[in-house]
Amino acid sequence: MTPQLEPTKLSEQLFPVYKRWNITFQEASGSLITGGDGKEYIDLMAGIGVTNLGHCHPAVTKAVEQQLYKGWHGSNFFQYEGQANTAELLTKHSCGDLVVFVNSGTEANEAAIKLARKHTGRQKIISFVQSFHGRTFGSMAATGQDSIHQGFGPMLEGFEYIPYNDVNALEKAVDDDTAAVILEVVQGEGGIIPGEEAFLQAVEKAVKRAGALLICDEIQTGLGRTGAFFAHQHYGLQPDLITTAKGLGNGFPTGGVIGKAFLKDAFGPGSHGSTFGGNPLAMAAAEATLSTLIEEKWIDAVASKGDALLAELKETLQPLAVVKDIRGKGLMIGIELTEPVADYIVALQDKGVLAIGAGPNVIRLLPALTIEWELLMKGVNALKEVLS
């Protein structure tokens, strides 16, 4: 039996960049996580929207295990069958034609920003208030939250933030100096704020008129999370660049940028690179994850499951005095409270349910797409008890 460690002793040699819970991760399977003390938790966060197929999915585990004995790394001077297969799956199910693989969502957004500037020869990138695109200097500069910027000196120049779902502000901001507009179809970290259809379509028209690019950040919303392969597909958008990560490897670190064919010359040899991006282990995980999502039709099931969950939450929780609003799309749902959520999230843990925040006042639910309805309802019941 694995020795059990006290959570406080696990973090003494780590920078305190995370507000860690008093839970030690011991093991996980499906939509259940077992702590170091043996307590079992219903997982309604899926590693922050990562383990879309549930923990330790057998198809993904098998694919990675097989690759372990073939080789982990050779560098991107080699051609990898796994990269070709994964890129084919991503382009087949999107409006894109080409893929570059990286290790994370932040890196994907960095690459997309670089590509947009290089292709257009322009500097201005427009994003939105309360957006979140990452924590490296480029992706952090694209993030429209002051709290993310504080303490790091001047941000990378050329970024402008406008209110989300505000067509008038959009029309004023997009001009001939604009390289790209980057947006989340549903703002995740900013509080689960869905984009309005008219607004999203206005963004696409504005960038085309200006000769700019549309970047859809699908790091959290993509790969079935909202009930479509990518969330922008609900609205018929045709972005020039799509960034993906989180759910791509079902927990194995990987990400990518999917782009239109006309961008090919802007990302030639030497223009971008990643030592570990698209390595054989990551591609084994990604190919198996995508194949399973598609072949077992988990994405098709999310829309109906998400609608049913949202209806259940509104019926069960909306009447409670502390609940201000319940919103979302598919299995990406936010419960906005009239007060901070931190204590409620801890109280949920005491009842064996894991959820996370999205801003100070929103409880965010991101369960695995494969979660059983019975487990979801146990989570809803715990939410009702805690919020009551």
Side-chain angles (χ1 to χ4, degrees):
M1 183 176 177
T2 304
Q4 295 181 3
L5 299 174
E6 295 179 29
T8 53
K9 291 186 178 180
L10 286 175
S11 57
E12 289 177 353
Q13 282 74 45
L14 300 174
F15 273 109
V17 294
Y18 303 104
K19 292 182 178 178
R20 297 185 189 272
W21 298 332
N22 196 35
I23 300 172
T24 302
F25 183 100
Q26 191 74 10
E27 59 184 6
S29 178
S31 288
L32 295 172
I33 292 177
T34 303
D37 60 356
K39 183 174 180 177
E40 197 169 67
Y41 299 86
I42 298 172
D43 183 6
L44 299 186
M45 57 174 279
I48 317 181
V50 169
T51 52
N52 285 357
L53 291 174
H55 298 278
C56 295
H57 190 281
V60 182
T61 302
K62 181 180 179 181
V64 174
E65 186 177 41
Q66 289 176 341
Q67 187 60 50
L68 276 172
Y69 297 98
K70 294 179 180 179
W72 299 13
H73 180 76
S75 88
N76 277 308
F77 291 119
F78 289 90
Q79 297 187 41
Y80 291 124
E81 185 177 349
Q83 282 194 15
N85 294 342
T86 305
E88 183 178 2
L89 288 168
L90 289 171
T91 54
K92 182 179 179 180
H93 293 276
S94 72
C95 61
D97 305 296
L98 301 166
V99 181
V100 59
F101 289 107
V102 292
N103 305 293
S104 66
T106 289
E107 290 183 38
N109 285 331
E110 285 281 342
I113 291 165
K114 284 177 63 177
L115 180 50
R117 284 185 164 182
K118 194 166 188 290
H119 172 77
T120 63
R122 304 171 182 178
Q123 301 299 308
K124 182 177 174 181
I125 306 285
I126 295 170
S127 68
F128 298 91
V129 176
Q130 290 304 111
S131 63
F132 182 84
H133 300 291
R135 294 181 183 272
T136 50
F137 264 96
S139 60
M140 180 169 61
T143 294
Q145 298 188 48
D146 288 340
S147 61
I148 302 296
H149 301 166
Q150 289 174 3
F152 297 105
M155 288 294 103
L156 189 65
E157 294 180 357
F159 290 83
E160 182 177 336
Y161 319 109
I162 60 176
Y164 198 56
N165 284 325
D166 188 329
V167 175
N168 290 331
L170 170 77
E171 298 287 352
K172 292 177 182 177
V174 179
D175 56 24
D176 293 341
D177 295 324
T178 303
V181 174
I182 182 170
L183 62 81
E184 304 157 273
V185 176
V186 181
Q187 290 188 327
E189 306 295 325
I192 313 297
I193 310 296
E196 297 169 2
E197 184 171 6
F199 168 74
L200 295 170
Q201 292 176 350
V203 173
E204 185 172 54
K205 291 177 182 177
V207 296
K208 286 183 177 179
R209 188 166 58 245
L213 302 183
L214 174 59
I215 304 170
C216 280
D217 178 342
E218 294 270 8
I219 307 301
Q220 190 168 151
T221 54
L223 308 179
R225 174 58 54 187
T226 67
F229 199 89
F230 289 115
H232 66 265
Q233 293 169 339
H234 291 293
Y235 307 102
L237 302 182
Q238 298 279 315
D240 302 293
L241 292 164
I242 304 161
T243 56
T244 182
K246 284 192 181 290
L248 182 59
N250 204 56
F252 200 101
T254 188
V257 181
I258 309 163
K260 295 283 187 66
F262 70 84
L263 297 167
K264 184 176 183 178
D265 290 343
F267 251 19
S271 60
H272 193 69
S274 170
T275 296
F276 299 112
N279 72 75
L281 286 174
M283 293 298 94
E287 184 181 350
T289 298
L290 293 175
S291 297
T292 303
L293 280 170
I294 295 161
E295 292 167 9
E296 296 186 3
K297 300 186 184 302
W298 287 111
I299 296 173
D300 299 337
V302 169
S304 57
K305 188 185 289 186
D307 288 345
L309 176 60
L310 194 60
E312 183 69 30
L313 289 169
K314 287 184 175 181
E315 180 180 344
T316 304
L317 304 182
Q318 194 72 68
L320 303 177
V322 74
V323 176
K324 182 178 180 180
D325 189 27
I326 301 174
R327 55 182 178 262
K329 198 164 188 67
L331 289 176
M332 183 177 182
I333 293 175
I335 304 164
E336 184 176 359
L337 305 186
T338 58
E339 57 188 75
V341 300
D343 289 343
Y344 292 102
I345 288 173
V346 173
L348 275 172
Q349 293 170 5
D350 292 340
K351 291 187 175 295
V353 175
L354 301 176
I356 51 175
N361 291 0
V362 177
I363 296 174
R364 179 172 25 163
L365 304 183
L366 298 167
L369 312 188
T370 56
I371 191 171
E372 300 88 350
W373 185 253
E374 181 183 358
L375 274 183
L376 267 176
M377 290 305 96
K378 286 183 179 179
V380 171
N381 290 335
L383 272 165
K384 182 178 181 182
E385 291 175 13
V386 166
L387 295 176
S388 296

